[in-house]
Amino acid sequence: MNKKERERMEKQAARLAKERERLEAMSVYEKQYASCLAICGIDEVGRGPLAGPVVAGAVILPRDTEILYLNDSKKLSEKKREALYDEIMEKAVAVGIGMASPARIDEINILQATYEAMRMAIDKLQVRPDLLLNDAVTIPGVEISQVPIVKGDAKSISIAAASIVAKVTRDRMMKEYEEIFPGYDFASNKGYGTKAHIQALKTLGPCVIHRRSFIGNFVK
């Protein structure tokens, strides 16, 4: 092995050690509640868009599992999220996904719809958790013990995994909606109120996946 190759391997080893140190810091809650047999991370995506559902993810990871580069989904590229999604689905003890439609959001408001999607995600788990680590919220109507963590998707590997599952699931849905409802650029904006999306909304009018309670400032 020459000097250049040795230096490259040393740098790789240093990067790996740093990443493992970061993941160790993101496992503090999982270690704090290590007496619990099944810790479930809960997170949602899609509270702010003008169109599409709100989606919640619930993930139970095996104890002491290692998924390198696991992080808040907002801090990851689409390519990295997709790769991590596959790894999470492969390694997780259980995964549940819940969602509330735009019509349901209009009916009961976005906060209650988010809670509903979270409860649905929990109910779809094949393993019942004995502790929920939630991103910032306490979910009403759930008998399982809960720990709300502000910015939890950046502080807990379980919540980060849930955020990735929810994000990838919703993004894939919005890409499919682009094929069904062309003109709004859902594949790119994912339903969020970009300038081009708002202009399309004014020109084309709303489609069935627009949230009527969100778009009153743009259309009559």
Side-chain angles (χ1 to χ4, degrees):
M1 182 185 299
N2 60 40
K3 181 180 178 181
K4 188 174 182 180
E5 290 174 337
R6 186 169 59 253
E7 289 177 347
R8 179 177 58 82
M9 292 185 67
E10 288 174 352
K11 287 180 180 179
Q12 288 177 341
R15 284 196 296 268
L16 182 58
K18 186 176 181 179
E19 172 58 15
R20 285 181 167 147
E21 184 178 338
R22 187 188 67 83
L23 288 175
E24 183 72 15
M26 281 186 69
S27 302
V28 62
Y29 290 97
E30 285 77 7
K31 293 183 183 301
Q32 180 179 344
Y33 298 99
S35 60
C36 297
L37 297 177
I39 298 174
C40 178
I42 306 283
D43 200 8
E44 54 70 34
V45 65
R47 289 181 67 171
L50 306 179
V54 60
V55 177
V59 176
I60 301 174
L61 294 174
R63 192 181 301 272
D64 298 325
T65 189
E66 180 178 81
I67 301 178
L68 294 174
Y69 308 109
L70 190 61
N71 207 340
D72 172 7
S73 62
K74 297 184 292 296
K75 297 181 179 180
L76 301 168
S77 67
E78 181 177 359
K79 182 178 180 181
K80 178 61 72 174
R81 282 195 302 267
E82 289 281 349
L84 285 167
Y85 173 92
D86 290 341
E87 188 172 357
I88 292 163
M89 297 301 284
E90 177 185 344
K91 292 182 175 179
V93 172
V95 175
I97 298 170
M99 61 187 70
S101 69
R104 187 62 173 159
I105 292 168
D106 290 336
E107 180 183 358
I108 62 174
N109 78 47
I110 185 59
L111 179 59
Q112 296 306 317
T114 298
Y115 290 149
E116 190 170 274
M118 289 177 166
R119 288 191 293 267
M120 188 184 303
I122 296 166
D123 289 342
K124 288 187 176 181
L125 291 166
Q126 292 182 322
V127 175
R128 178 177 172 81
D130 47 5
L131 181 71
L132 304 178
L133 301 180
N134 306 338
D135 186 30
V137 302
T138 299
I139 310 164
V142 174
E143 296 181 356
I144 303 167
S145 297
Q146 304 180 56
V147 179
I149 304 168
V150 176
K151 296 183 179 179
D153 45 10
K155 297 177 181 178
S156 159
I157 56 171
S158 301
I159 299 176
S163 78
I164 291 168
V165 168
K167 174 67 173 169
V168 171
T169 298
R170 189 179 187 279
D171 283 359
R172 289 177 178 178
M173 291 179 65
M174 295 309 296
K175 289 179 180 180
E176 291 177 1
Y177 281 135
E178 170 66 16
E179 300 298 318
I180 302 170
F181 307 107
Y184 301 99
D185 197 24
F186 288 143
S188 176
N189 61 49
K190 307 303 188 292
Y192 284 88
T194 63
K195 184 177 180 180
H197 182 189
I198 292 170
Q199 184 56 53
L201 187 57
K202 292 178 178 179
T203 302
L204 302 174
C207 71
V208 296
I209 69 163
H210 278 103
R211 305 171 181 178
R212 297 310 196 266
S213 55
F214 278 50
I215 61 174
N217 291 333
F218 309 116
V219 295
K220 294 182 179 180

